[in-house]
Amino acid sequence: MELTLAITAFFTLFVVIDPVGLAPMFVAMTRGMSQRERLRIAATSCVIAVCILTVFGLAGQKILDFIGISLAAFRISGGILLFITALDMLFERRSARREEKADDVVETANDPSVFPLAMPLIAGPGALASMILLASGAEWDVTIMVIGVMIAVVALVFALFLLAGPIERLLGATGVTVATRLMGMLLAALSVQFVVDGLRDLGLLATL
């Protein structure tokens, strides 16, 4: 059971954070910088993103309780949010927005590690929602497992940041497009499952 949860958590966070899709953005935002400067920016952005996602994984349920939102309602809204993210991936709208953000940051700032790399590209709305859905209300061992999986995914982001240039040349534009759309299709199915789980928690789908 824990292995299944770990696989689900890894797939969800991998697709939502999208390390492969972030790599070209990192190249665009750090073009002209030295390898040492790129290493610093990559490390800073990933550490900040891990901290933000960990807070939401640990305190997400308390945040919902304080606001007065049930976990079932958040599952449904989170599933809808992930479905919109999946549509963006399928039709490449998210990539276009990321490229626009990258161009803006290159023109207006020298250090993109906090914004937009840490937020909203790594620890974006979809990733925050996923952490709450996966970890909130669970046993401590499950919560720790989810946080560990999240750290592993962000570590992949860091590795791909360091290898962004060669990977982009290896995959090419077509390879990146195919990978993004395939993950979008799988994320769409997973987001529907989140909505079904939320409706079942509300007692509206008791027979499923």
Side-chain angles (χ1 to χ4, degrees), residues 27-102:
V27 172
M29 285 182 278
T30 59
R31 61 175 177 256
M33 296 184 181
S34 64
Q35 184 63 28
R36 181 176 180 179
E37 188 67 9
R38 281 185 168 181
L39 175 61
R40 183 191 64 80
I41 291 175
T44 302
S45 62
C46 289
V47 169
I48 293 174
V50 165
C51 292
I52 295 171
L53 293 170
T54 298
V55 168
F56 272 79
L58 293 174
Q61 184 63 62
K62 293 181 179 179
I63 294 173
L64 292 181
D65 292 341
F66 179 78
I67 299 175
I69 301 174
S70 68
L71 184 59
F74 195 83
R75 286 184 185 276
I76 295 173
S77 62
I80 294 172
L81 175 61
L82 294 179
F83 187 78
I84 294 173
T85 301
L87 291 180
D88 287 345
M89 294 174 68
L90 286 170
F91 297 102
E92 297 186 324
R93 292 195 294 262
R94 185 168 66 165
S95 296
R97 286 199 299 269
R98 281 179 169 176
E99 289 172 0
E100 290 175 0
K101 290 178 182 177

Side-chain angles (χ1 to χ4, degrees), residues 119-203:
M119 286 189 69
L121 294 184
I122 301 176
L128 298 177
S130 297
M131 287 299 295
I132 296 178
L133 291 173
L134 292 167
S136 292
E139 298 294 333
W140 272 107
D141 57 340
V142 175
T143 300
I144 293 173
M145 179 270 294
V146 171
I147 292 174
V149 169
M150 176 271 294
I151 293 174
V153 173
V154 177
L156 285 177
V157 173
F158 178 73
L160 290 174
F161 277 177
L162 299 183
L163 299 174
I167 289 175
E168 186 178 21
R169 291 191 295 269
L170 178 64
L171 290 178
T174 301
V176 172
T177 299
V178 171
T180 299
R181 293 192 175 184
L182 176 61
M183 289 189 294
M185 292 178 62
L186 296 175
L187 180 61
L190 187 60
S191 66
V192 172
Q193 186 62 53
F194 275 140
V195 173
V196 171
D197 291 342
L199 293 174
R200 183 170 54 214
D201 291 342
L202 290 174

Side-chain angles (χ1 to χ4, degrees), residues 18 75 107:
D18 189 12
R75 286 184 185 276
E107 293 176 358

